[in-house]
Amino acid sequence: MPQIDSLDRGGSQQRDSLSHQAIEDYVKTIYALAQEESPVSTSRVAAARLVKPASATSMLQRLARLGLVNYEKHYGATLTPAGDKLALEVIRHHRLLELYLMEALGFRWDEVHEQADVLEHVISEKLEERIAAALNYPIFDPHGDPIPALDGSMAVVDTTALSDVPAGGRARVSRIPDDSNSELLRYLAGLGLVPGAEVVVAEVAPFLGPLTIEVAGARQAIGRNLADLILVISIQ
Ligand SMILES: [Zn+2]
């Protein structure tokens, strides 16, 4: 995307303008928010980026001028095909980096998101390809999130929340969507609730009470809110 490369390498006259990283972070945010509801309102963008609505508005207007976003103040924002492509490229970097940091460098799964959030903006396409090759072209990151292929396509997995598995049901952990919550990830890893782990739901307390599960050879009680955050595939 030439206009972004030129911004990134821009001289002082462009320093007041948008940084490469800010563009990518906003595009990634809009992509994620659009999975829940599209178009994405200015206030949702502002809340997700932790900025005032006026800042989000001006950012969205600038992204629209770059051809990455369709934006009207009272309608909200959608990504253009170019914006979509950029978002998927950054997500690909992020998820490949998370897996690489874990597999090759020994980081824990609760540490990699923070590192990948920085590195995702700076790795070259050549380094990205080397990382993908070193990992044998993986389809999922350590949190079970699908890694977009070079053409933007991603594996689609039909998951349900662990909290929807009835008593007596068995399931395999597929995905922990909140990959930035390191406290949550440490807790889940301690229980053995990581992608690939098999879980038996032994009991479900009534009135939205806790679930008693068997995982990694142990019985554990986990709260309903926590079980909502764990996506699983039912096993017969
Ligand atoms: Zn992450």
Side-chain angles (χ1 to χ4, degrees), residues 95-97 99-101 103-104 130-138 147:
R95 294 181 180 169
L96 278 171
L97 282 160
L99 190 62
Y100 186 73
L101 290 166
E103 301 272 314
R130 291 286 180 92
I131 290 173
L135 295 169
N136 201 16
Y137 302 97
I147 300 173

Side-chain angles (χ1 to χ4, degrees), residues 95-114:
R95 294 181 180 169
L96 278 171
L97 282 160
E98 286 191 342
L99 190 62
Y100 186 73
L101 290 166
M102 229 177 128
E103 301 272 314
L105 303 179
F107 280 84
R108 292 189 318 264
W109 82 329
D110 58 287
E111 296 175 313
V112 293
H113 176 83
E114 197 186 349

Side-chain angles (χ1 to χ4, degrees), residues 46-228:
R49 296 305 315 162
L50 305 173
V51 299
K52 296 203 174 87
S55 309
T57 299
S58 99
M59 189 68 194
L60 290 168
Q61 287 165 341
R62 295 158 104 177
L63 292 172
R65 283 197 292 276
L66 289 171
L68 297 170
V69 160
N70 302 307
Y71 179 63
E72 275 169 51
K73 211 165 178 176
H74 299 289
Y75 164 82
T78 55
L79 292 176
T80 62
D84 211 49
K85 186 164 181 277
L86 180 62
L88 286 164
E89 201 174 299
V90 181
I91 292 167
R92 175 174 163 80
H93 286 179
H94 183 99
R95 294 181 180 169
L96 278 171
L97 282 160
E98 286 191 342
L99 190 62
Y100 186 73
L101 290 166
M102 229 177 128
E103 301 272 314
L105 303 179
F107 280 84
R108 292 189 318 264
W109 82 329
D110 58 287
E111 296 175 313
V112 293
H113 176 83
E114 197 186 349
Q115 301 291 327
D117 252 357
V118 178
L119 295 171
E120 67 189 16
H121 304 292
V122 295
I123 64 167
S124 64
E125 296 311 295
K126 191 172 178 181
L127 179 53
E128 175 208 290
E129 165 54 27
R130 291 286 180 92
I131 290 173
L135 295 169
N136 201 16
Y137 302 97
I139 307 173
F140 296 101
D141 81 2
H143 311 106
D145 293 324
I147 300 173
L150 279 174
D151 66 3
S153 63
M154 270 191 271
V156 179
V157 185
D158 191 13
T159 58
T160 50
L162 178 57
S163 50
D164 290 333
V165 178
R170 291 201 313 144
R172 182 173 291 112
V173 177
S174 175
R175 185 174 185 180
I176 313 297
D178 192 1
D179 72 339
S180 63
N181 188 339
S182 41
E183 208 179 326
L184 169 74
L185 294 173
R186 273 195 300 279
Y187 183 67
L188 293 177
L191 297 177
L193 283 168
V194 295
E198 272 198 34
V199 188
V200 175
V201 177
E203 285 168 37
V204 178
F207 303 108
L208 299 178
L211 284 76
T212 306
I213 59 169
E214 283 161 20
V215 61
R219 259 188 176 232
Q220 316 276 358
I222 65 165
R224 189 77 56 129
N225 293 348
L226 186 57
D228 284 341

Side-chain angles (χ1 to χ4, degrees), residues 23-56:
I23 292 169
E24 293 183 349
D25 279 338
Y26 268 84
V27 165
K28 203 172 70 158
T29 298
I30 296 162
Y31 181 90
L33 294 173
Q35 307 303 307
E36 293 151 29
E37 195 189 335
S38 183
V40 179
S41 69
T42 312
S43 56
R44 287 172 71 214
V45 173
R49 296 305 315 162
L50 305 173
V51 299
K52 296 203 174 87
S55 309

